[in-house]
Amino acid sequence: EVQLEESGGGLVNPGGSLRLSCAASGFDFSVYSMNWVRQAPGKGLEWVSCISSGSHYVYYADSVKGRFTISRDNAKNSLYLQMNSVRVEDTALYYCARGPRGIAVAASGYFDPWGQGTLVTVSS
Amino acid sequence: QSVLTQPPSVSGAPGQRVTISCTGSSSNIGARYDIHWYQQVPGTAPKLLIYENTNRPSGVPDRFSASKSGTSASLAITGLQAEDEADYYCQSFDNSLSGWVFGGGTKLTVL
């Protein structure tokens, strides 16, 4: 069974840092692009970042560019999101979601499956 | 303000048909990027409902269908059931933002 499990969320002060992890199982993690998508409380979905299968290509939403860093370890079947200089508006449930299979990232790709999410709360 | 525009809510009685629109622009849907749809039951993670404009993943009932034309797309649900009550999101790629975008979401209420 294909599974994604996020961890690392919690309460962090504005300006602080946090590292999210996503453990993948049930599929060949090394051949798929991976994404982080977040959902603020009571709000809609917002794509955050994407990384290609071999880490050659990374993409960020403007709202997190320069503050967040996506990475992966294919040997450990794991995806990461390093969150620095966090802001109150970064408060959200962060989902890990699998993208398309391939070396490059397909612009027309979709996200499937999704993990259950890890909650990040930025507050003093 | 989402790049893809959806109605905030729609409703219908059991057995009825409802549609949810998703309006974009020349930098996303109009640029021929595929549209995908997700269903999110409250308290759960989003689930892929329709991929590549019209395709249903295995396990999704054929009561769900979708179409795309120009700078818009729509999701149709026929034979509404109580279990269809959820939030629905459209998603595409936007080349002016160089990133993936979602609609604001539509809450479906089954009366």
Side-chain angles (χ1 to χ4, degrees), chain A residues 35 37 39 43-47 50 59-60 62 65 93 95 105-117, chain B residues 32-34 36 38 40 43-48 51-52 57 87 89 91-93 97-104:
Chain A
N35 296 268
V37 178
Q39 186 170 35
K43 302 296 184 182
L45 302 171
E46 179 189 16
W47 169 78
C50 174
Y59 306 89
Y60 298 97
D62 287 343
K65 202 171 292 182
L93 188 59
Y95 293 104
V105 179
S108 278
Y110 51 87
F111 307 131
D112 180 57
W114 299 55
Q116 288 305 303
Chain B
R32 299 188 178 182
Y33 294 111
D34 288 337
H36 318 291
Y38 302 86
Q40 185 177 33
T44 70
K47 166 192 158 186
L48 181 66
Y51 66 97
E52 295 171 357
D87 295 320
Y89 294 89
Q91 175 250 313
S92 187
F93 182 85
L97 296 174
S98 297
W100 290 265
V101 291
F102 288 92

Side-chain angles (χ1 to χ4, degrees), chain A residues 43-92:
Chain A
K43 302 296 184 182
L45 302 171
E46 179 189 16
W47 169 78
V48 172
S49 184
C50 174
I51 186 168
S52 62
S53 59
S55 302
H56 296 106
Y57 307 99
V58 294
Y59 306 89
Y60 298 97
D62 287 343
S63 57
V64 307
K65 202 171 292 182
R67 300 187 299 121
F68 291 9
T69 301
I70 191 171
S71 63
R72 63 191 294 163
D73 185 335
N74 287 345
K76 294 183 178 179
N77 291 339
S78 293
L79 174 72
Y80 306 102
L81 185 68
Q82 178 66 43
M83 306 170 62
N84 296 333
S85 303
V86 296
R87 304 167 180 168
V88 171
E89 55 264 36
D90 294 323
T91 294

Side-chain angles (χ1 to χ4, degrees), chain B:
Chain B
Q1 200 78 336
S2 300
V3 172
L4 303 179
T5 302
Q6 298 181 233
S9 64
V10 297
S11 63
Q16 286 190 332
R17 177 182 187 270
V18 297
T19 61
I20 297 172
S21 61
C22 175
T23 303
S25 67
S26 58
S27 62
N28 40 69
I29 303 175
R32 299 188 178 182
Y33 294 111
D34 288 337
I35 282 282
H36 318 291
W37 292 89
Y38 302 86
Q39 178 192 59
Q40 185 177 33
V41 174
T44 70
K47 166 192 158 186
L48 181 66
L49 190 66
I50 298 285
Y51 66 97
E52 295 171 357
N53 306 312
T54 60
N55 300 300
R56 286 187 310 276
S58 172
V60 173
D62 60 6
R63 302 185 295 103
F64 294 89
S65 63
S67 63
K68 172 190 167 186
S69 178
T71 58
S72 296
S74 67
L75 173 71
I77 310 171
T78 58
L80 267 182
Q81 299 181 3
E83 67 202 48
D84 298 333
E85 194 160 280
D87 295 320
Y88 293 83
Y89 294 89
C90 58
Q91 175 250 313
S92 187
F93 182 85
D94 190 285
N95 59 26
S96 67
L97 296 174
S98 297
W100 290 265
V101 291
F102 288 92
T106 298
K107 181 176 180 61
L108 168 63
T109 300
V110 180
L111 301 171

